[in-house]
Amino acid sequence: MEAGEVLDDRYRVKEALDQGGMGTIWTATDLETGQLVAVKVLRLDAYTQGRFTPAERARRRVELLKRFEREGVILEELKHPGIPRLLHRGYLGEEPFLVMEYVEGVSLREFLDMRRPFPFDAAVAVAVQVAEALGHAHANGVVHRDLKPGNVVIAFANGAVKLLDFGIAYLTDPDATRYTALGATPGSAGYMAPEQLRGQQDISASVDLYAFGCVLFELLTGEKPFEDKPDRNRDTQHLEDLPPRLRSINIGIPQELDDLAWDLLAKAPADRPETIDEVLDVLRDFLPKPGDPAPDPELDPDPTARYRLRESPVAGTADTRPTLRATSRRPVRRRGGWLGRNQFAGRIAQARAELLTDGPGDRCTELLDLLPKAVSDWGAREPIVLEGRLVCADAARLDGRTGEAKEQYQHVAENGDPSDPLVLEARLGVAECLMPEGTSPGRSVAGARWCTACLSSPCRIPTG
């Protein structure tokens, strides 16, 4: 493809903009409308040159063509304001091309590099728009598989956020053809989920949620969750290491967003939020409201504009969401959409630490509030649920609510494996709740070491 060529008697090629892994992006003029469009042409040399036999080059060429054609089919199906529209598909000789809506703007990668830290309201506005585009793709059976700041563009005209490049998208339809022979694991370093890094072929939309967690982490902190270290490379950290908490980097980040990023970056897909809609349920509460001030210093483009400048709610239907700034702390809202195991395990640890230091308090109350959701999501027999219930029982007993404690202990004793130390401890807890006041040897919190003499935690044999 060269400048000046006319594609299918309609699109006059202007200049090359960018070159990616599979294609080159050009600008062109639509001769019928006069509008500027983007043209993506397949780079047939990308995978067909090198030390391959003629047969291997031919096979790779065919697969590359099929993958490119499928990108066009995918874009025809995806109709969302956060995804550039496909306008036309065609061939220039042997080179296939896609004509798409042109977005004049700046990539999120460039924007983040220019502004660190990124304004909180702008970070949330970008995250919500990316998540909404992902949600549309997932609803249509498409996993993007290459979400990263370089594939997100913010338009100069109105600050709208667009998700680009579905070149390695994965179709969740089990009958869809898989293209896996083109070399390395599809995805971009630093944003691939652990299952992608391991080369797992049967993936789900959860890989996009992990990548979204990486992007959200960078939006809110200005840092990536993992970077190469002299003794530990980035991929190994993505596979094995827990990420930092957002609030360990910026204490002004709300706890709910800290919890959200933590769960999005869970190693196991089952520990991440189930769908992107559940992520949006959390993020939307932090969006700028109509009438909010513009970011200071000014952003160009400004992704908050569409939220700040929209019309205020009609009288009688006021938007009651509280205004938030990165340095303020908003009241905790109980989430009902999903409960991550990482989040629940963290709540157990916090409640246990509280019992050891100050006795039952807010952390124990939060754990008790989360318990019904944990039971609903994972079942009463799940070990992490039994552990949480046991800590709640300890808190109730130490707080003098013996009847409630006895009921919680009985739940653990009845639903756990009889050989599990948690069950043995629960049975002892029931016995202690039945003792006359003042005769209990004094029970400590769950999780302490067991004494082999009395099977209790800690030892329940009175001193002396």
Side-chain angles (χ1 to χ4, degrees):
M1 186 171 290
E2 296 180 357
E5 288 184 291
V6 177
L7 309 177
D8 290 350
D9 299 322
R10 178 167 178 176
Y11 303 101
R12 186 182 301 280
V13 179
K14 293 187 66 175
E15 60 180 344
L17 282 182
D18 191 23
Q19 182 167 291
M22 287 181 60
T24 301
I25 306 296
W26 295 72
T27 57
T29 302
D30 185 338
L31 298 178
E32 290 188 10
T33 66
Q35 292 183 328
L36 200 63
V37 296
V39 179
K40 181 176 182 178
V41 59
L42 177 63
R43 293 176 53 220
L44 287 175
D45 66 322
Y47 293 102
T48 57
Q49 292 184 352
R51 298 179 180 178
F52 302 107
T53 66
E56 287 174 328
R57 282 198 293 269
R59 177 179 58 82
R60 294 164 75 87
R61 179 188 177 94
V62 168
E63 289 206 6
L64 189 60
L65 283 167
K66 288 180 177 179
R67 187 186 289 273
F68 191 82
E69 290 170 355
R70 187 171 71 179
E71 181 181 3
V73 172
I74 288 172
L75 289 174
E76 279 184 333
E77 295 295 321
L78 299 181
K79 302 184 187 304
H80 187 274
I83 301 172
R85 291 175 293 118
L86 180 71
L87 305 174
H88 182 77
R89 292 194 288 161
Y91 276 82
L92 179 64
E94 294 186 351
E95 293 182 325
F97 63 84
L98 305 173
V99 180
M100 297 172 288
E101 172 191 1
Y102 175 67
V103 183
E104 186 175 9
V106 60
S107 78
L108 181 57
R109 172 78 282 140
E110 296 173 278
F111 217 17
L112 283 168
D113 290 343
M114 290 187 293
R115 292 295 303 270
R116 292 178 185 274
F118 208 59
F120 179 83
D121 285 355
V124 175
V126 169
V128 165
Q129 293 178 71
V130 171
E132 288 173 344
L134 279 179
H136 178 75
H138 293 173
N140 285 275
V142 177
V143 180
H144 188 280
R145 205 161 50 164
D146 196 20
L147 174 61
K148 59 183 178 181
N151 283 338
V152 175
V153 168
I154 305 171
F156 285 128
N158 56 8
V161 177
K162 305 281 186 175
L163 177 60
L164 313 179
D165 199 349
F166 285 78
I168 62 170
Y170 177 92
L171 301 181
T172 55
D173 183 347
D175 296 326
T177 304
R178 310 295 181 208
Y179 301 115
T180 58
L182 291 177
T185 302
S188 292
Y191 299 91
M192 283 191 281
E195 59 268 34
Q196 281 177 286
L197 289 169
R198 286 191 291 266
Q200 183 176 323
Q201 300 300 322
D202 185 19
I203 62 171
S204 69
S206 189
V207 302
D208 283 348
L209 270 68
Y210 186 92
F212 181 82
C214 294
V215 173
L216 180 65
F217 192 103
E218 193 169 355
L219 277 167
L220 292 172
T221 67
E223 302 177 12
K224 297 176 183 177
F226 300 110
E227 293 278 21
D228 283 330
K229 298 177 181 179
D231 60 340
R232 198 164 180 80
N233 68 44
R234 178 176 50 196
D235 286 354
T236 300
Q237 294 174 67
H238 276 284
L239 284 167
E240 300 176 0
D241 296 358
L242 292 176
R245 297 298 299 229
L246 297 183
R247 286 170 59 83
S248 71
I249 300 171
N250 180 356
I251 192 63
I253 293 173
Q255 184 66 54
E256 277 199 325
L257 296 187
D258 191 344
D259 289 340
L260 176 62
W262 179 260
D263 285 322
L264 285 166
L265 293 174
K267 303 304 179 190
D271 290 344
R272 298 170 205 151
E274 206 168 309
T275 68
I276 199 71
D277 288 337
E278 294 165 356
V279 176
L280 281 164
D281 182 54
V282 178
L283 285 173
R284 284 180 176 138
D285 277 354
F286 297 92
L287 280 170
K289 296 195 313 181
D292 277 0
D296 185 18
E298 182 179 336
L299 287 179
D300 183 23
D302 179 6
T304 71
R306 64 188 304 154
Y307 303 104
R308 294 185 299 100
L309 304 180
R310 67 187 178 190
E311 292 184 4
S312 298
V314 178
T317 60
D319 188 341
T320 58
R321 293 176 300 179
T323 302
L324 175 80
R325 293 293 175 265
T327 56
S328 67
R329 182 75 182 274
R330 78 195 294 257
V332 174
R333 177 179 65 86
R334 186 184 302 174
R335 291 183 292 183
W338 101 95
L339 179 62
R341 290 174 187 262
N342 284 352
Q343 178 197 358
F344 192 64
R347 289 289 190 267
I348 291 173
Q350 290 172 350
R352 183 181 290 117
E354 183 178 66
L355 288 179
L356 287 169
T357 55
D358 304 318
D362 292 343
R363 302 290 80 80
C364 293
T365 301
E366 290 172 4
L367 178 62
L368 184 62
D369 285 346
L370 288 174
L371 190 59
K373 181 62 176 170
V375 173
S376 173
D377 285 357
W378 309 316
R381 297 179 180 273
E382 187 71 14
I384 194 172
V385 175
L386 296 175
E387 184 181 0
R389 193 182 291 280
L390 193 61
V391 174
C392 290
D394 284 330
R397 192 189 62 78
L398 293 173
D399 203 32
R401 294 176 280 121
T402 308
E404 180 184 331
K406 176 175 172 289
E407 184 178 346
Q408 296 282 26
Y409 287 135
Q410 285 177 329
H411 270 288
V412 177
E414 292 168 2
N415 289 285
D417 183 339
S419 64
D420 190 332
L422 293 177
V423 172
L424 299 177
E425 186 170 356
R427 289 173 178 168
L428 289 166
V430 171
E432 289 176 2
C433 289
L434 296 174
M435 288 181 182
E437 187 175 353
T439 62
S440 172
R443 187 172 187 279
S444 185
V445 299
R449 238 169 238 232
W450 281 67
C451 168
T452 56
C454 64
L455 294 179
S456 61
S457 170
C459 178
R460 289 186 173 79
I461 299 176
T463 303

